[in-house]
Each structure stands twice: as structure tokens, then as C-alpha cells.
Amino acid sequence: KALPFRANIAEITSTAYSVPSEVALQRAVETAVSEEIGSMYLSKKPIPDVQAAIEQRVGKLLAGTH
């Protein structure tokens, strides 16, 4: 049985990077990103919409308006 997202996930390993530990609210940022990516898989949300949602959520967190 094939894993439909395997190729996309494999690509992430060569392009992704972790959030540096000195980033304020690191756990909250990682949670927001993870939730939006999960939402993308469940709802078939287009990648540009997911990127915009992540940027908005992380921006609010870092601005202190969460």
C-alpha cells in the first residue's frame, strides 16, 4: 500500500530547518505551523493559503497579539 505523501515529506528533509532555540515562543510557533500543516492535509487547503495562515499566526505570536 503506497503512502501518498511520502515523496513530499521526503523533500522536506532536504529543505526544512528547525526553529532556533532562542526564538521567542518557539513551542507556540511550532504548534501553529504544525496545526496549519495538519489542516492542509485534512481539508485539502491550497499551499499558498496555508503559508498565509502560518505567516499570520506566527506574526501575531511574535507581535504579542495572540
Side-chain angles (χ1 to χ4, degrees):
K1 188 173 181 179
L3 299 173
F5 300 110
R6 189 175 192 95
N8 295 340
I9 293 170
E11 180 184 343
I12 291 171
T13 62
S14 65
T15 60
Y17 57 93
S18 64
V19 177
S21 60
E22 63 270 4
V23 170
L25 302 169
Q26 177 185 15
R27 177 74 67 192
V29 168
E30 290 177 345
T31 299
V33 171
S34 176
E35 288 174 355
E36 291 298 331
I37 290 173
S39 172
M40 176 184 67
Y41 284 119
L42 293 173
S43 68
K44 307 284 192 238
K45 194 174 188 181
I47 291 175
D49 292 350
V50 173
Q51 289 173 318
I54 290 171
E55 288 179 13
Q56 181 181 28
R57 287 183 66 182
V58 171
K60 284 181 180 180
L61 285 169
L62 297 178
T65 60
H66 53 282

